[in-house]
């Protein structure tokens, strides 16, 4: 089996490697637009499968892994921030509230496609303007859905509660990936 990881995320690379899998990183150019009829709960799986379907035809023995993470609060998507102001607004919106993190994965071979989603609830403590400024300036969360990484300062200092997998929040539900890849 030749495993192909279609992600530029250093976190996903680290997690997949830590699971004990050898893989090659591939790039997929795909416009990630979620149609209006897609529900928030289905959006991460939709984007993950969209990426997988945009990749070239797989050869026998190749396995493609794609993933996407979406942060949502009150049925509102929070993608990756486009600038500091956008990140600040997202973090203010999440401050002191419970939100959901959905990570969808698609594992595709030449003959089948398996797509699954895992969800976690996360409650952040109140964030002051100074804490938000500190986090954005020091951690530059512009490649992270919802403007934060659980493995960074904000996750360590400000997460009050979480229900679900830490790794799903980090961007790869490792328990699902491991189970499916072992079955294949």
């Amino acid at each position: 089996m030749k495993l192909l990881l279609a992600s530029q995320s250093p976190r996903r690379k680290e997690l997949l490697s830590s699971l004990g899998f050898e893989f090659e990183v591939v790039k997929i150019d795909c416009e990630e637009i979620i149609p209006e009829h897609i529900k928030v709960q289905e959006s991460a799986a939709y984007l993950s499968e969209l990426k997988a379907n945009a990749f070239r035809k797989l050869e026998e023995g190749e396995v493609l892994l794609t993933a996407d993470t979406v942060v949502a609060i009150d049925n509102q998507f929070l993608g990756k921030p486009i600038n500091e102001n956008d990140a600040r607004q997202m973090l203010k919106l999440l401050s002191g509230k419970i939100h959901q993190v959905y990570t969808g994965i698609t594992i595709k071979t030449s003959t089948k496609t398996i797509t699954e989603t895992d969800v976690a609830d996360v409650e952040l403590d109140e964030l002051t303007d100074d804490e938000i400024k500190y986090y954005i300036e020091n951690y530059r969360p512009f490649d992270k859905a919802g403007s934060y990484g659980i493995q960074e300062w904000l996750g360590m200092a400000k997460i009050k509660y979480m229900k679900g997998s830490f790794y799903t929040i980090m961007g790869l539900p490792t328990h699902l990936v491991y189970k499916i890849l072992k079955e294949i």
Side-chain angles (χ1 to χ4, degrees), residues 2 23 26 28 33 39 56 58 75 86 97 99 105 111 119 138 141 146 157 165 171 180:
K2 181 178 180 182
F23 56 92
V26 296
I28 296 177
I33 296 175
K39 295 177 183 166
R56 66 169 168 76
L58 291 168
N75 282 325
D86 196 28
K97 297 181 187 139
H99 63 276
I105 59 164
T111 59
V119 62
N138 288 283
S165 169
I180 295 167

Side-chain angles (χ1 to χ4, degrees), residues 128-140 153:
T128 66
D129 288 344
D130 286 343
E131 288 169 334
I132 290 172
K133 182 178 184 215
Y134 169 82
Y135 181 68
I136 292 170
E137 286 178 357
N138 288 283
Y139 292 91
R140 314 296 295 166
W153 177 86

Side-chain angles (χ1 to χ4, degrees), residues 146-166:
S147 300
Y148 79 92
I150 191 171
Q151 71 282 6
E152 298 172 339
W153 177 86
L154 189 112
M156 290 185 277
K158 291 304 210 170
I159 288 182
K160 277 174 67 169
Y161 166 85
M162 68 178 201
K163 179 181 177 186
S165 169
F166 175 89

Side-chain angles (χ1 to χ4, degrees), residues 14-78:
E14 176 189 344
L15 291 174
L16 192 57
S17 181
S18 293
L19 279 175
F21 292 104
E22 291 184 16
F23 56 92
E24 177 184 327
V25 175
V26 296
K27 188 170 176 133
I28 296 177
D29 288 319
C30 172
E31 195 170 358
E32 298 178 28
I33 296 175
I34 302 170
E36 287 185 28
H37 72 277
I38 299 291
K39 295 177 183 166
V40 170
Q41 304 90 310
E42 301 166 349
S43 58
Y46 172 85
L47 290 171
S48 177
E49 200 161 314
L50 183 73
K51 292 176 193 176
N53 291 334
F55 194 64
R56 66 169 168 76
K57 184 175 164 83
L58 291 168
E59 297 175 15
E60 177 120 7
E62 288 183 321
V63 177
L64 177 68
L65 169 60
T66 59
D68 204 277
T69 300
V70 173
V71 173
I73 186 165
D74 301 326
N75 282 325
Q76 176 184 348
F77 293 100
L78 300 181

